[in-house]
Protein backbone atom coordinates (compact mmCIF):
# COMPACT_ATOMS: atom_id res chain seq x y z
CA UNK A 1 0.00 0.00 0.00
CA UNK A 2 1.47 3.32 -1.12
CA UNK A 3 0.19 6.47 0.58
CA UNK A 4 -0.17 9.38 -1.84
CA UNK A 5 -2.57 11.60 0.09
CA UNK A 6 -2.46 12.71 3.72
CA UNK A 7 -5.20 14.27 5.79
CA UNK A 8 -4.42 16.05 9.05
CA UNK A 9 -7.11 16.93 11.57
CA UNK A 10 -5.94 19.81 13.74
CA UNK A 11 -4.13 22.82 12.29
CA UNK A 12 -2.31 23.87 15.44
CA UNK A 13 1.41 23.68 16.10
CA UNK A 14 1.74 19.93 15.53
CA UNK A 15 -0.72 19.56 12.67
CA UNK A 16 0.71 22.45 10.70
CA UNK A 17 4.25 21.18 11.33
CA UNK A 18 3.38 17.72 10.00
CA UNK A 19 1.77 19.32 6.93
CA UNK A 20 4.84 21.47 6.23
CA UNK A 21 7.25 18.55 6.54
CA UNK A 22 5.15 16.15 4.44
CA UNK A 23 4.45 18.61 1.63
CA UNK A 24 8.12 19.59 1.46
CA UNK A 25 9.12 15.94 1.01
CA UNK A 26 7.25 15.95 -2.30
CA UNK A 27 4.80 13.65 -4.01
CA UNK A 28 2.07 13.67 -1.34
CA UNK A 29 -1.00 15.89 -1.34
CA UNK A 30 -1.89 17.21 2.12
CA UNK A 31 -5.34 18.24 3.34
CA UNK A 32 -5.20 20.24 6.57
CA UNK A 33 -8.49 20.47 8.46
CA UNK A 34 -9.53 22.39 11.55
CA UNK A 35 -13.01 23.31 12.77
CA UNK A 36 -11.74 26.89 13.11
CA UNK A 37 -11.25 28.43 9.66
CA UNK A 38 -8.97 31.12 11.07
CA UNK A 39 -6.67 28.40 12.45
CA UNK A 40 -6.40 26.88 8.98
CA UNK A 41 -5.58 30.31 7.51
CA UNK A 42 -2.84 30.83 10.13
CA UNK A 43 -1.38 27.40 9.38
CA UNK A 44 -1.27 28.06 5.63
CA UNK A 45 0.35 31.45 6.23
CA UNK A 46 2.84 29.77 8.55
CA UNK A 47 3.68 27.21 5.86
CA UNK A 48 4.39 29.97 3.37
CA UNK A 49 6.61 31.77 5.88
CA UNK A 50 8.52 28.55 6.60
CA UNK A 51 9.13 27.82 2.92
CA UNK A 52 10.07 31.44 2.18
CA UNK A 53 12.70 31.33 4.92
CA UNK A 54 13.99 28.02 3.59
CA UNK A 55 14.47 29.68 0.21
CA UNK A 56 16.25 32.65 1.79
CA UNK A 57 18.64 30.27 3.58
CA UNK A 58 19.31 28.25 0.45
CA UNK A 59 17.60 25.12 1.74
CA UNK A 60 14.90 25.10 -0.94
CA UNK A 61 14.58 26.49 -4.43
CA UNK A 62 11.75 28.90 -5.15
CA UNK A 63 10.17 26.30 -7.43
CA UNK A 64 10.33 23.62 -4.71
CA UNK A 65 8.85 26.00 -2.12
CA UNK A 66 5.98 26.96 -4.43
CA UNK A 67 5.31 23.31 -5.23
CA UNK A 68 5.30 22.35 -1.54
CA UNK A 69 2.86 25.12 -0.64
CA UNK A 70 0.68 24.09 -3.57
CA UNK A 71 0.41 20.58 -2.18
CA UNK A 72 -1.32 21.82 1.00
CA UNK A 73 -5.07 22.40 0.92
CA UNK A 74 -6.94 23.80 3.90
CA UNK A 75 -10.54 23.27 5.01
CA UNK A 76 -12.81 23.64 8.02
CA UNK A 77 -14.95 20.66 6.98
CA UNK A 78 -14.21 17.12 8.18
CA UNK A 79 -15.63 15.80 4.91
CA UNK A 80 -12.54 17.14 3.14
CA UNK A 81 -10.69 14.13 4.59
CA UNK A 82 -12.94 11.57 2.91
CA UNK A 83 -10.55 10.59 0.11
CA UNK A 84 -7.26 10.67 2.04
CA UNK A 85 -5.27 7.43 2.18
CA UNK A 86 -3.95 8.34 5.64
CA UNK A 87 -5.51 10.65 8.21
CA UNK A 88 -3.52 11.81 11.25
CA UNK A 89 -5.32 13.28 14.25
CA UNK A 90 -3.27 16.10 15.80
CA UNK A 91 -5.51 17.77 18.37
CA UNK A 92 -4.97 18.57 22.05
CA UNK A 93 -3.84 15.65 24.24
CA UNK A 94 -7.24 14.85 25.73
CA UNK A 95 -8.59 11.30 25.55
CA UNK A 96 -12.30 12.17 25.32
CA UNK A 97 -11.68 14.79 22.64
CA UNK A 98 -9.67 12.33 20.56
CA UNK A 99 -12.22 9.56 21.08
CA UNK A 100 -15.02 11.83 19.82
CA UNK A 101 -12.97 12.79 16.77
CA UNK A 102 -12.26 9.16 15.86
CA UNK A 103 -15.93 8.30 16.06
CA UNK A 104 -16.64 11.17 13.66
CA UNK A 105 -13.79 10.23 11.33
CA UNK A 106 -14.96 6.63 11.18
CA UNK A 107 -18.11 7.77 9.40
CA UNK A 108 -16.15 9.86 6.87
CA UNK A 109 -12.91 8.18 5.78
CA UNK A 110 -12.73 5.22 3.41
CA UNK A 111 -12.92 1.79 5.11
CA UNK A 112 -9.39 0.93 3.98
CA UNK A 113 -7.82 4.31 4.86
CA UNK A 114 -5.15 4.35 7.54
CA UNK A 115 -6.05 6.40 10.61
CA UNK A 116 -3.39 7.50 13.08
CA UNK A 117 -3.12 9.47 16.28
CA UNK A 118 -0.30 11.88 17.02
CA UNK A 119 -0.71 11.28 20.75
CA UNK A 120 2.52 11.56 22.73
CA UNK A 121 1.49 9.51 25.76
CA UNK A 122 -1.96 7.90 25.52
CA UNK A 123 -2.22 4.21 24.66
CA UNK A 124 -3.10 3.62 21.02
CA UNK A 125 -5.09 0.50 21.87
CA UNK A 126 -7.36 2.48 24.22
CA UNK A 127 -8.14 5.00 21.48
CA UNK A 128 -8.65 2.18 18.94
CA UNK A 129 -11.90 1.26 20.70
CA UNK A 130 -13.41 4.41 19.16
CA UNK A 131 -12.36 3.63 15.57
CA UNK A 132 -14.66 1.58 13.33
CA UNK A 133 -11.75 -0.39 11.84
CA UNK A 134 -9.05 -0.79 14.54
CA UNK A 135 -6.92 -2.91 12.20
CA UNK A 136 -6.17 0.26 10.21
CA UNK A 137 -5.38 2.34 13.31
CA UNK A 138 -1.96 3.11 14.81
CA UNK A 139 0.15 5.82 16.42
CA UNK A 140 2.33 8.28 14.50
CA UNK A 141 3.90 10.50 17.14
CA UNK A 142 5.81 13.38 15.56
CA UNK A 143 8.13 15.37 17.77
CA UNK A 144 7.99 19.16 17.97
CA UNK A 145 8.77 21.11 15.90
CA UNK A 146 7.44 18.55 13.43
CA UNK A 147 8.59 20.55 10.40
CA UNK A 148 12.19 20.14 11.59
CA UNK A 149 12.48 17.32 14.15
CA UNK A 150 13.34 14.09 12.29
CA UNK A 151 11.84 11.53 14.70
CA UNK A 152 8.43 9.82 14.47
CA UNK A 153 7.42 7.06 16.89
CA UNK A 154 5.42 4.47 14.95
CA UNK A 155 3.23 2.66 17.46
CA UNK A 156 1.48 -0.62 16.78
CA UNK A 157 -1.73 -1.10 18.71
CA UNK A 158 -3.05 -4.52 19.74
CA UNK A 159 -5.39 -4.63 16.74
CA UNK A 160 -3.15 -2.93 14.15
CA UNK A 161 -2.81 -4.99 10.99
CA UNK A 162 0.85 -5.78 10.17
CA UNK A 163 0.38 -4.59 6.58
CA UNK A 164 -1.02 -1.27 7.81
CA UNK A 165 1.93 -0.90 10.17
CA UNK A 166 4.43 -1.58 7.39
CA UNK A 167 2.67 0.96 5.17
CA UNK A 168 2.96 3.57 7.91
CA UNK A 169 6.67 2.84 8.39
CA UNK A 170 7.20 3.23 4.65
CA UNK A 171 5.27 6.51 4.64
CA UNK A 172 7.41 7.94 7.45
CA UNK A 173 10.61 7.01 5.60
CA UNK A 174 9.29 8.32 2.27
CA UNK A 175 8.57 11.71 3.82
CA UNK A 176 12.13 12.11 5.08
CA UNK A 177 11.51 11.22 8.72
CA UNK A 178 13.21 8.68 10.98
CA UNK A 179 10.76 6.03 12.24
CA UNK A 180 11.14 4.56 15.72
CA UNK A 181 9.18 1.33 16.08
CA UNK A 182 7.39 1.15 19.44
CA UNK A 183 5.22 -1.25 21.36
CA UNK A 184 2.03 0.39 22.63
CA UNK A 185 2.56 1.77 26.13
CA UNK A 186 1.92 5.00 28.01
CA UNK A 187 4.58 7.48 26.88
CA UNK A 188 5.97 5.10 24.23
CA UNK A 189 9.79 5.13 23.98
CA UNK A 190 10.76 8.77 24.53
CA UNK A 191 8.17 10.55 26.67
CA UNK A 192 8.25 7.52 28.96
CA UNK A 193 11.53 8.92 30.36
CA UNK A 194 11.40 12.57 29.29
CA UNK A 195 8.26 13.30 31.36
CA UNK A 196 9.62 11.77 34.61
CA UNK A 197 12.88 13.66 34.03
CA UNK A 198 11.06 17.01 33.90
CA UNK A 199 8.85 15.89 36.77
CA UNK A 200 11.84 15.09 38.99
CA UNK A 201 13.34 18.49 38.16
CA UNK A 202 10.24 20.11 39.66
CA UNK A 203 10.36 17.84 42.72
CA UNK A 204 13.92 18.94 43.42
CA UNK A 205 12.92 22.60 43.38
CA UNK A 206 9.70 22.02 45.32
CA UNK A 207 11.71 20.24 48.04
CA UNK A 208 14.10 23.17 48.30
CA UNK A 209 17.07 21.08 47.16
CA UNK A 210 17.88 23.21 44.10
CA UNK A 211 16.91 26.22 42.02
CA UNK A 212 15.60 25.99 38.47
CA UNK A 213 18.83 27.42 37.06
CA UNK A 214 20.89 24.99 39.10
CA UNK A 215 18.87 22.02 37.87
CA UNK A 216 19.31 23.12 34.26
CA UNK A 217 23.05 23.52 34.78
CA UNK A 218 23.51 20.14 36.46
CA UNK A 219 21.33 18.37 33.87
CA UNK A 220 23.72 19.46 31.13
CA UNK A 221 26.70 17.85 32.84
CA UNK A 222 24.94 14.81 34.36
CA UNK A 223 22.95 13.75 31.29
CA UNK A 224 24.65 15.60 28.47
CA UNK A 225 21.51 17.47 27.44
CA UNK A 226 21.71 20.49 25.18
CA UNK A 227 19.31 22.46 27.41
CA UNK A 228 17.99 21.84 30.92
CA UNK A 229 14.46 20.66 31.78
CA UNK A 230 13.06 24.05 32.80
CA UNK A 231 14.41 25.80 29.71
CA UNK A 232 12.88 23.09 27.52
CA UNK A 233 9.52 23.19 29.32
CA UNK A 234 9.32 26.92 28.69
CA UNK A 235 9.73 26.20 24.98
CA UNK A 236 7.17 23.38 24.75
CA UNK A 237 4.87 25.18 27.25
CA UNK A 238 4.32 24.06 30.86
CA UNK A 239 0.64 23.32 30.18
CA UNK A 240 1.50 20.81 27.46
CA UNK A 241 4.19 19.14 29.53
CA UNK A 242 1.90 18.85 32.57
CA UNK A 243 -0.76 17.20 30.44
CA UNK A 244 1.78 14.70 29.10
CA UNK A 245 2.97 13.92 32.64
CA UNK A 246 -0.61 13.41 33.82
CA UNK A 247 -1.21 10.92 31.02
CA UNK A 248 1.54 8.72 32.51
CA UNK A 249 -0.16 8.57 35.93
CA UNK A 250 -1.57 5.05 35.27
CA UNK A 251 2.03 3.80 35.46
CA UNK A 252 2.13 4.49 39.22
CA UNK A 253 2.76 7.16 41.88
CA UNK A 254 6.34 7.86 40.75
CA UNK A 255 4.93 9.14 37.45
CA UNK A 256 2.28 11.40 39.05
CA UNK A 257 2.83 15.18 38.57
CA UNK A 258 5.07 16.89 41.10
CA UNK A 259 3.26 19.37 43.32
CA UNK A 260 3.22 22.20 43.76
CA UNK A 261 5.67 23.50 41.15
CA UNK A 262 4.88 21.48 38.02
CA UNK A 263 1.14 21.49 38.68
CA UNK A 264 0.88 25.21 39.42
CA UNK A 265 2.95 26.29 36.43
CA UNK A 266 1.27 23.81 34.12
CA UNK A 267 -2.29 24.71 35.08
CA UNK A 268 -1.53 28.43 34.70
CA UNK A 269 0.67 27.79 31.64
CA UNK A 270 3.17 30.03 33.39
CA UNK A 271 6.84 29.91 32.29
CA UNK A 272 9.38 28.87 34.88
CA UNK A 273 11.63 31.64 36.17
CA UNK A 274 15.27 30.72 35.54
CA UNK A 275 17.73 32.95 37.39
CA UNK A 276 20.94 34.15 35.78
CA UNK A 277 22.82 32.86 38.83
CA UNK A 278 22.97 29.07 38.41
CA UNK A 279 24.98 28.32 41.55
CA UNK A 280 21.86 27.34 43.47
CA UNK A 281 21.80 25.52 46.82
CA UNK A 282 25.29 24.91 48.15
CA UNK A 283 26.46 21.31 48.21
CA UNK A 284 23.44 19.79 46.44
CA UNK A 285 24.81 19.31 42.91
CA UNK A 286 25.53 15.62 43.59
CA UNK A 287 22.00 14.94 44.80
CA UNK A 288 20.52 16.79 41.84
CA UNK A 289 22.67 14.81 39.39
CA UNK A 290 21.77 11.47 40.98
CA UNK A 291 18.06 12.14 41.02
CA UNK A 292 17.87 13.47 37.47
CA UNK A 293 19.78 10.46 36.24
CA UNK A 294 17.65 8.06 38.29
CA UNK A 295 14.39 9.59 37.04
CA UNK A 296 15.64 9.11 33.48
CA UNK A 297 17.22 5.67 33.88
CA UNK A 298 14.42 3.98 35.85
CA UNK A 299 11.69 4.50 33.21
CA UNK A 300 14.09 3.40 30.47
CA UNK A 301 14.94 0.19 32.32
CA UNK A 302 11.23 -0.41 32.94
CA UNK A 303 10.37 0.04 29.26
CA UNK A 304 13.21 -2.30 28.33
CA UNK A 305 11.63 -4.89 30.67
CA UNK A 306 8.31 -4.32 28.88
CA UNK A 307 9.79 -4.56 25.38
CA UNK A 308 8.55 -1.10 24.39
CA UNK A 309 11.66 -0.43 22.28
CA UNK A 310 15.26 -1.58 22.02
CA UNK A 311 18.10 0.18 23.86
CA UNK A 312 19.54 1.30 20.52
CA UNK A 313 16.20 2.76 19.41
CA UNK A 314 15.67 4.51 22.75
CA UNK A 315 19.11 6.09 22.38
CA UNK A 316 18.31 7.17 18.83
CA UNK A 317 15.06 8.73 19.99
CA UNK A 318 16.76 10.54 22.86
CA UNK A 319 19.49 11.87 20.59
CA UNK A 320 17.34 12.84 17.61
CA UNK A 321 14.20 14.12 19.35
CA UNK A 322 15.63 15.63 22.54
CA UNK A 323 19.34 16.20 21.88
CA UNK A 324 20.18 14.02 24.88
CA UNK A 325 23.42 12.10 25.16
CA UNK A 326 22.20 8.51 24.45
CA UNK A 327 21.02 7.38 27.93
CA UNK A 328 21.51 3.62 27.46
CA UNK A 329 25.04 4.25 26.25
CA UNK A 330 25.56 6.48 29.29
CA UNK A 331 24.33 3.73 31.62
CA UNK A 332 26.73 1.27 30.00
CA UNK A 333 29.57 3.73 30.52
CA UNK A 334 28.67 4.32 34.18
CA UNK A 335 28.46 0.58 34.82
CA UNK A 336 25.99 -1.60 36.66
CA UNK A 337 27.17 -0.81 40.19
CA UNK A 338 26.84 2.96 39.75
CA UNK A 339 23.51 2.77 37.93
CA UNK A 340 22.15 0.37 40.56
CA UNK A 341 23.25 2.77 43.31
CA UNK A 342 21.47 5.68 41.63
CA UNK A 343 18.31 3.86 40.56
CA UNK A 344 18.15 1.76 43.73
CA UNK A 345 17.81 4.88 45.87
CA UNK A 346 14.87 6.06 43.77
CA UNK A 347 13.24 2.61 43.89
CA UNK A 348 13.59 2.60 47.68
CA UNK A 349 11.90 6.01 47.88
CA UNK A 350 8.91 4.88 45.84
CA UNK A 351 8.72 1.25 46.97
CA UNK A 352 9.59 -0.12 43.53
CA UNK A 353 11.49 -3.24 42.54
CA UNK A 354 14.69 -2.89 40.57
CA UNK A 355 13.96 -3.51 36.87
CA UNK A 356 15.17 -6.88 35.57
CA UNK A 357 17.14 -5.16 32.81
CA UNK A 358 19.42 -3.75 35.51
CA UNK A 359 21.30 -7.05 35.20
CA UNK A 360 22.32 -6.16 31.63
CA UNK A 361 23.61 -2.65 32.37
CA UNK A 362 27.10 -2.47 30.93
CA UNK A 363 25.86 -4.35 27.87
CA UNK A 364 22.50 -2.69 27.12
CA UNK A 365 23.65 -1.77 23.64
CA UNK A 366 25.34 -5.13 22.97
Amino acid sequence: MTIESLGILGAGTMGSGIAIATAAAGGIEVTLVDVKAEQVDRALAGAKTFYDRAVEKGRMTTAAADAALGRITGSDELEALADCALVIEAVFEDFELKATIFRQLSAIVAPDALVATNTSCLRVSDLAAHVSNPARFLGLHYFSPAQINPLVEVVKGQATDPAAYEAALAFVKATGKLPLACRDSFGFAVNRFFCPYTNEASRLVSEGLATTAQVDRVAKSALGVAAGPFFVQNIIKPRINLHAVRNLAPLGPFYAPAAPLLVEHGEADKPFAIDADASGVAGSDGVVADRLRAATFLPILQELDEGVASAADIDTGAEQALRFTPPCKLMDQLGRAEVERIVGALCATWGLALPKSMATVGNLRA
Side-chain angles (χ1 to χ4, degrees):
M1 176 183 181
T2 301
I3 296 170
E4 297 181 347
S5 57
L6 170 66
I8 302 169
L9 181 52
T13 301
M14 289 305 302
S16 59
I18 296 169
I20 289 168
T22 304
I28 296 176
E29 299 296 319
V30 180
T31 302
L32 185 59
V33 173
D34 198 290
V35 293
K36 297 179 180 179
E38 62 273 19
Q39 187 65 46
V40 175
D41 292 339
R42 279 195 294 270
L44 293 174
K48 185 178 187 309
T49 298
F50 180 88
Y51 295 141
D52 286 347
R53 288 176 180 169
V55 171
E56 290 173 7
K57 295 178 180 179
R59 295 173 182 166
M60 295 181 81
T61 65
T62 300
D66 290 343
L69 188 61
R71 282 189 283 269
I72 305 176
T73 302
S75 176
D76 59 358
E77 298 289 339
L78 290 182
E79 287 72 19
L81 301 169
D83 297 325
C84 294
L86 166 65
V87 177
I88 301 174
E89 163 274 312
V91 302
F92 185 67
E93 198 77 336
D94 179 85
F95 185 91
E96 292 305 325
L97 173 61
K98 291 177 185 288
T100 298
I101 283 172
F102 287 127
R103 289 192 292 269
Q104 294 171 338
L105 281 176
S106 293
I108 294 171
V109 300
D112 60 347
L114 295 188
V115 179
T117 175
N118 184 54
T119 183
S120 61
C121 291
L122 297 170
R123 290 182 73 248
V124 169
S125 298
D126 293 338
L127 289 168
H130 302 276
V131 179
S132 61
N133 187 358
R136 291 285 175 170
F137 184 68
L138 72 156
L140 287 176
H141 174 221
Y142 287 73
F143 284 80
S144 184
Q147 57 269 53
I148 297 172
N149 199 306
L151 194 74
V152 180
E153 290 178 319
V154 185
V155 187
K156 185 178 182 180
Q158 292 177 352
T160 305
D161 183 89
Y165 190 72
E166 290 301 319
L169 285 169
F171 167 80
V172 171
K173 293 176 183 176
T175 53
K177 296 293 188 180
L178 177 65
L180 195 165
C182 292
R183 179 176 173 270
D184 191 17
S185 177
F186 291 106
F188 312 133
V190 177
N191 272 346
R192 174 65 176 266
F193 67 85
F194 176 73
C195 287
Y197 156 76
T198 61
N199 206 26
E200 194 69 13
S202 290
R203 282 198 190 103
L204 286 162
V205 176
S206 293
E207 292 170 16
L209 293 172
T211 65
T212 54
Q214 179 185 8
V215 169
D216 277 6
R217 172 178 58 79
V218 174
K220 292 178 184 179
S221 60
L223 288 163
V225 298
F230 291 108
F231 182 88
V232 173
Q233 286 181 86
N234 284 347
I235 293 175
I236 64 177
K237 304 304 181 188
R239 176 180 67 97
I240 292 174
N241 189 62
L242 173 62
H243 207 77
V245 171
R246 280 177 165 160
N247 283 335
L248 297 187
L251 293 170
F254 164 66
Y255 290 88
L261 193 67
L262 187 73
V263 173
E264 289 180 356
H265 280 260
E267 290 182 345
D269 205 18
K270 176 184 174 183
F272 292 95
I274 304 173
D275 296 334
D277 180 5
S279 56
V281 178
S284 68
D285 278 9
V287 173
V288 174
D290 279 357
R291 285 183 50 176
L292 289 176
R293 281 176 168 176
T296 303
F297 295 163
L298 174 62
I300 289 173
L301 293 169
Q302 288 177 334
E303 64 172 303
L304 287 172
D305 281 0
E306 297 162 15
V308 175
S310 69
D313 283 348
I314 291 168
D315 276 0
T316 296
E319 195 169 22
Q320 295 293 324
L322 305 175
R323 297 181 66 194
F324 271 46
T325 292
C328 293
K329 182 178 180 180
L330 177 58
M331 281 192 275
D332 282 343
Q333 291 171 343
L334 290 170
R336 178 178 173 180
E338 178 64 359
V339 173
E340 188 165 335
R341 178 189 70 80
I342 295 168
V343 173
L346 187 66
C347 287
T349 298
W350 292 95
L352 300 170
L354 279 173
K356 294 179 181 178
S357 54
M358 180 68 74
T360 63
V361 171
N363 294 288
L364 291 173
R365 293 288 304 267

